[in-house]
């Protein structure tokens, strides 16, 4: 079953092909994965303030996550060039985005595979399966922690036919369909440097779990010294940060 209601207001964000210039750096509130799993700190003032005023937190200390992220994202671009499942879109600034979409359904079947029809994607499939499983665990832990810290009228949601009611926030997270997108952005050297790739916008859903992007060169080597400054958010007072 697919949940289309937007219960939590998400922050507006954009992708910018240009440098961040004088834009301030925003440091999200951090909570460890252990705290989420053990239900420690989920109801603290700082945790709830971050979600209500900004709509963004960072979860750190996730076992195996750093390696899993690098392993999957290093193989993403090469696969996206070969996979029949990849959809390509060119933005006005010249940036090309290649997207592979999949989803996870509740109950039997779970995480759905991506049909690539390419041997070049075998290593990406294996790596992304592990990463998706880890992200699913973090998503479930966040859903339970947030559900335990807010009071909502029950049932929270129910299906259109009235056959199933979601008792609380964690129930909605666990039993809703999770949409999962892998994006590869490639900017030509001669692209327009001072234009936004994507304008500020707000996506709908209960919430979005982001995996930070990985900067790589033309040979798919990680650029260790460079992090992206092109992901921008709009704060509650209207100011922009990255």
């Amino acid at each position: 079953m697919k949940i289309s209601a937007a219960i939590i207001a998400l922050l507006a964000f954009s992708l910018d092909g240009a440098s961040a210039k004088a834009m301030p750096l925003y440091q999200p509130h951090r909570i460890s994965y252990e705290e989420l799993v053990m239900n420690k700190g989920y109801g603290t003032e700082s945790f709830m303030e971050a979600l209500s005023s900004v709509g963004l937190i960072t979860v750190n200390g996730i076992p195996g996550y750093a390696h899993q992220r690098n392993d999957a994202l290093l193989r993403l671009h090469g696969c996206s060039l070969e996979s029949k499942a990849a959809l390509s879109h060119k933005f006005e600034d010249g940036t090309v985005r290649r997207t592979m979409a999949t989803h996870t359904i509740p109950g039997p079947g779970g995480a759905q595979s991506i049909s690539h029809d390419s041997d070049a994607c075998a290593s990406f499939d294996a790596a992304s399966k592990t990463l998706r499983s880890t992200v699913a665990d973090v998503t479930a832990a966040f859903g339970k922690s947030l559900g335990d810290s807010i009071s909502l009228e029950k049932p929270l949601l129910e299906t259109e036919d009235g056959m199933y009611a979601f008792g609380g926030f964690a129930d909605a997270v666990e039993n809703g369909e999770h949409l999962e997108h892998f994006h590869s952005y490639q900017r030509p050297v001669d692209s327009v440097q001072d234009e936004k790739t994507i304008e500020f916008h707000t996506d709908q859903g209960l919430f979005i779990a982001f995996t930070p992007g990985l900067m790589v060169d033309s040979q798919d080597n990680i650029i260790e010294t460079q992090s992206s400054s092109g992901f921008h958010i709009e704060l509650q007072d209207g100011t922009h940060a990255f």
Side-chain angles (χ1 to χ4, degrees), residues 117 140 234:
D117 194 26
E234 184 174 271

Side-chain angles (χ1 to χ4, degrees), residues 150-163:
I150 55 179
S151 297
L152 296 172
E153 184 177 333
K154 297 183 179 181
L156 179 64
L157 291 171
E158 60 182 19
T159 56
E160 292 182 352
D161 59 11
M163 296 296 293

Side-chain angles (χ1 to χ4, degrees), residues 23-111:
M23 192 174 293
L25 175 65
Y26 177 74
Q27 296 283 0
H29 175 75
R30 294 186 177 186
I31 184 169
S32 71
Y33 178 60
E34 182 182 5
E35 288 177 307
L36 285 180
V37 173
M38 300 301 293
N39 273 349
K40 298 178 180 179
Y42 59 82
T44 63
E45 183 176 346
S46 57
F47 178 77
M48 297 307 297
E49 172 65 19
L51 291 177
S52 60
S53 64
V54 181
L56 175 67
I57 66 166
T58 295
V59 180
N60 57 14
I62 305 169
Y65 169 77
H67 172 73
Q68 294 166 13
R69 164 184 171 262
N70 288 359
D71 200 28
L73 297 190
L74 264 178
R75 292 162 171 75
L76 169 60
H77 183 67
C79 174
S80 71
L81 294 175
E82 301 291 336
S83 174
K84 69 175 185 179
L87 298 179
S88 179
H89 177 78
K90 186 174 183 179
F91 294 95
E92 291 184 2
D93 71 342
T95 298
V96 176
R97 179 183 66 195
R98 296 178 177 87
T99 299
M100 291 184 290
T102 184
H103 62 290
T104 295
I105 59 175

